[in-house]
Amino acid sequence: FWRKMIFSGGGYFRLYPYSMIKYLVENSDYCMSYFHPRDIDKEQPMENISLNRKFRSNVGINKAENKIENLLNDFKFIDIQKADNLIDWNSCSKIFMKQMF
């Protein structure tokens, strides 16, 4: 369970309890979050989508806005340009993915 994991946006953010998200942010060297309007839109259209997609689009949506507010209150965030200027990209770990196609 102590492997690196996605937690700071989208379905993962909506699925995990805020206490877990807060713990993971506090114990991360760096955390980038991104939210799409549909992550909090309880009235998004759901016609003609599979049950799997419907579940993934709706899981945790009722608590998402409150989680985002908690995240903004509990942590200080900066924009991506400022983050880019602060990071020494030459000293960062790199992940290489095998070409799949």
Side-chain angles (χ1 to χ4, degrees), residues 64-101:
E65 189 171 1
N66 189 45
K67 286 182 188 179
I68 293 170
E69 288 177 11
N70 287 337
L71 197 66
L72 292 172
N73 288 326
D74 290 342
F75 298 98
K76 179 182 174 190
F77 289 87
I78 58 175
D79 63 53
I80 192 74
Q81 184 174 5
K82 188 170 185 179
D84 181 46
N85 292 335
L86 292 173
I87 296 170
D88 178 6
W89 292 107
N90 294 319
S91 67
C92 291
S93 299
K94 294 172 182 54
I95 299 172
F96 297 96
M97 298 185 67
K98 189 165 109 177
Q99 186 173 354
M100 302 183 73
F101 302 100

Side-chain angles (χ1 to χ4, degrees), residues 2 7-8 20 26-27 29 39 44-45 50 54 57 70 72 79 84:
W2 296 109
F7 64 89
S8 64
M20 180 179 174
E26 288 173 338
N27 291 282
D29 294 330
D39 289 326
Q44 60 186 293
S50 69
K54 190 176 281 194
S57 296
N70 287 337
L72 292 172
D79 63 53
D84 181 46

Side-chain angles (χ1 to χ4, degrees), residues 42-71:
K42 299 172 194 163
E43 297 182 23
Q44 60 186 293
M46 292 287 169
E47 300 88 30
N48 302 319
I49 62 172
S50 69
L51 288 176
N52 181 32
R53 181 69 184 153
K54 190 176 281 194
F55 171 77
R56 291 186 305 149
S57 296
N58 276 319
V59 67
I61 202 164
N62 290 327
K63 295 182 180 180
E65 189 171 1
N66 189 45
K67 286 182 188 179
I68 293 170
E69 288 177 11
N70 287 337
L71 197 66

